[in-house]
Amino acid sequence: MALLITSKCTNCDMCLPECPNEAISIGEEIYVIDPVLCTECVGHYDNPTCQKVCPISNCIIPDPAHQETTEELWERFVLIHHADDV
């Protein structure tokens, strides 16, 4: 599933440069994650880097509106980063 930044976000700028898929952007009030681009770092890292660098506990959580399997996240990773090879 994609990840979701909650209202606990303090806009500290830690997550934005860490996302390998460029799924994080500045929203109207807090940072937001584009579920179309989020793979939870599948294909890049063992754990989502945004969660790892976020200083606020439980600020970045699984998005209940975008539940996906690991296989679906791998497919998205391939489409994002290797579309020319497919």
Side-chain angles (χ1 to χ4, degrees):
M1 71 181 59
L3 297 174
L4 173 72
I5 298 175
T6 69
S7 60
K8 292 180 179 181
C9 179
T10 61
N11 295 318
C12 69
D13 297 321
M14 294 296 291
C15 62
L16 184 66
E18 295 298 323
C19 183
N21 297 327
E22 298 181 359
I24 300 173
S25 62
I26 300 170
E28 288 185 30
E29 295 182 25
I30 60 171
Y31 283 96
V32 294
I33 297 176
D34 183 343
V36 174
L37 295 174
C38 180
T39 64
E40 293 187 38
C41 290
V42 166
H44 295 282
Y45 308 110
D46 291 335
N47 297 299
T49 57
C50 61
Q51 288 178 326
K52 194 174 183 180
V53 300
C54 182
I56 308 298
S57 180
N58 297 317
C59 181
I60 303 173
I61 61 171
D63 185 346
H66 296 96
Q67 296 185 14
E68 299 156 306
T69 65
T70 302
E71 291 79 23
E72 290 171 315
L73 295 173
W74 270 108
E75 289 175 13
R76 180 174 302 133
F77 165 79
V78 170
L79 288 173
I80 293 170
H81 297 283
H82 301 284
D84 294 339
D85 301 334
V86 177

